[in-house]
Amino acid sequence: MAEPLDELRDSLTGEVLVEGDPEYERARLCFNLLIDRRPAAIARCVDANDVGAALAFGQTRGLEIAVRGGGHNPAGHCAVDGGLVIDLLRMRDVHVDPENGIATCQGGATWLDFDTATQAHGLVTPGGVVGSTGVTGLTLGGGIGHLTAQYGLTCDKLIAADVVSPAGKIVHASDDQNTELLWGLRGGGGNFGVVTQAAFRLHPLERVVGGSLEYKGEGVAAALRLVRELAVSSPHELSIQAQLAMDESLAPRLVVVPCYTGAGNDPEALRTLRAVPGLVNDGVRRQGFLDQQRIFDPGYGVDRNYWKGHFVADLPDELINDLVRRMPALGRPPGGILIESLHGAPRDVEPSSSALGYRDAAFNVSVMASWTDPANDEESVDWARTTAAAIQPWSVSGGYANYMQADEPFERIRAAFGPDSFARLQALKSRYDPDNVLRRNQNIPPAG
Ligand SMILES: Cc1cc2nc3c(=O)[nH]c(=O)nc-3n(C[C@H](O)[C@H](O)[C@H](O)COP(=O)(O)OP(=O)(O)OC[C@H]3O[C@@H](n4cnc5c(N)ncnc54)[C@H](O)[C@@H]3O)c2cc1C
């Protein structure tokens, strides 16, 4: 491979990493340690020309191609054994146009890059909750976070993108040009090309009432029931997530993470949450949006992960009790179960504006097994699968593409969009990537 790689090196402004290079081990690492792959080469691109050259090289040499943004996808789609990784780590610039309320970022920017740049102007877009997650990768799957109720899904704010297709063409998608591609990028994943620039609508916001509330004992199920009621009754000013986990003594605990952006510091909804018996930790306060974005801050590449979940129409008591009961099943902390509310702004937009099929769901319930010892792989994966199967009866869609592992059956990926949108996505795939060069993703095969 030495000679062909020289050809790749010569065609890039960025660098090419191979086994033995000091940065190779870090560059091949995924967030999820369960994925351990050794690409033949990692092309650290710096612009759209580099991306085009890497795409051409990979196809000419018959190498499987993976695209790496923030490296967070739990399926490990950003790494490929013996293939070529198009790594966007050096493409992280964010340009903010405060007058027009628009931020444009390069395809490898993370939420920390993005939020830091937009908050310098007192502006936000609804993004992910962890700073090291890739902005584009998250947007391509939808995007749920601390401002979902207020402003909608991240992909709802995507107003334009530059995409390098596998054929090497740079395509601009916006409301005026290539509108079908823009539609597909709002949820259809990295199936159509490599996004080198993405533009987002911004909103003024600097401070929120947020943080976390932690419950134990009877408070765990009681607070989760209240989260359910609040999600139904809450106005657009309150986004809410909750995470079931286990403490050191192997008792279930619940962490509720509200984000309130209305008037006053002590809204009724937060007062009721604080009044639930079993509250053991109250970390809710008025704070800057960047502080809210630091609540969840997991280490990168330290845990093994296996996630499985469902969008649900409801969170009945029966399901809440069952999930709480399943937490101690392994006799060790199994990871967590994340419950994200979809109330508010996601339903304000025309459903046909994006490829997603889960806007009507009430919650996204995700079983997130995480562990460190490889000896626990089978047991942890099994816990995630059986716990997710218990949620299935309330499922209203095929699951959240952003949290899917690589073993999801085709039918579940199709169901995540619905049959009509999926057929439209397949037609789009046939147009931009007829040979399915970009198949390291929640794959939408070309039509036919
Ligand atoms: C710790 C953690 C926190 C998370 N938090 C949230 C959250 O708050 N909300 C939420 O909705 N999701 C969240 N996610 C899920 C996350 O949005 C998805 O896993 C997403 O795919 C990650 O994007 P990435 O660029 O970081 O990952 P990568 O693994 O680098 O990329 C994943 C895939 O996205 C595609 N891709 C990425 N960038 C591009 C690009 N520029 N052009 C074309 N294709 C591209 C490729 O197909 C790539 O294989 C989280 C995941 C983790 C691990």
Side-chain angles (χ1 to χ4, degrees), residues 54 146 176 200 206 413:
H146 292 310
D176 306 318
F200 295 87
E206 284 175 85
I413 296 168

Short mmCIF file of all heavy atoms in Angstrom, two decimals, residues 54 146 176 200 206 413:
data_model
loop_
_atom_site.label_atom_id
_atom_site.label_comp_id
_atom_site.label_asym_id
_atom_site.label_seq_id
_atom_site.Cartn_x
_atom_site.Cartn_y
_atom_site.Cartn_z
N ALA A 54 -9.96 12.27 -1.56
CA ALA A 54 -9.99 11.04 -0.74
C ALA A 54 -11.09 10.10 -1.23
O ALA A 54 -10.88 8.88 -1.33
CB ALA A 54 -10.20 11.39 0.73
N HIS A 146 -31.03 19.92 24.85
CA HIS A 146 -31.60 20.75 25.92
C HIS A 146 -32.57 21.81 25.41
O HIS A 146 -33.21 22.48 26.22
CB HIS A 146 -30.47 21.47 26.67
CG HIS A 146 -29.60 20.57 27.47
ND1 HIS A 146 -30.09 19.64 28.35
CD2 HIS A 146 -28.24 20.45 27.54
CE1 HIS A 146 -29.09 18.99 28.93
NE2 HIS A 146 -27.96 19.46 28.45
N ASP A 176 -33.56 26.89 -1.93
CA ASP A 176 -33.71 27.27 -3.34
C ASP A 176 -33.05 26.29 -4.31
O ASP A 176 -33.44 26.23 -5.47
CB ASP A 176 -33.03 28.64 -3.60
CG ASP A 176 -33.53 29.69 -2.66
OD1 ASP A 176 -34.74 29.71 -2.44
OD2 ASP A 176 -32.70 30.46 -2.13
N PHE A 200 -26.91 26.88 9.87
CA PHE A 200 -28.01 26.69 10.82
C PHE A 200 -28.62 28.04 11.20
O PHE A 200 -27.91 29.03 11.38
CB PHE A 200 -27.49 26.04 12.12
CG PHE A 200 -26.99 24.64 11.92
CD1 PHE A 200 -25.66 24.42 11.55
CD2 PHE A 200 -27.82 23.55 12.10
CE1 PHE A 200 -25.18 23.13 11.36
CE2 PHE A 200 -27.34 22.26 11.91
CZ PHE A 200 -26.02 22.05 11.54
N GLU A 206 -28.99 33.31 26.15
CA GLU A 206 -27.71 33.26 26.85
C GLU A 206 -27.79 32.47 28.15
O GLU A 206 -26.88 31.77 28.52
CB GLU A 206 -27.21 34.67 27.13
CG GLU A 206 -26.65 35.32 25.88
CD GLU A 206 -26.27 36.77 26.09
OE1 GLU A 206 -25.14 37.01 26.55
OE2 GLU A 206 -27.11 37.63 25.81
N ILE A 413 -34.52 0.25 10.34
CA ILE A 413 -34.01 1.51 9.77
C ILE A 413 -35.11 2.12 8.89
O ILE A 413 -35.41 3.31 8.97
CB ILE A 413 -32.72 1.25 8.98
CG1 ILE A 413 -31.63 0.76 9.93
CG2 ILE A 413 -32.25 2.52 8.26
CD1 ILE A 413 -30.41 0.21 9.27
#
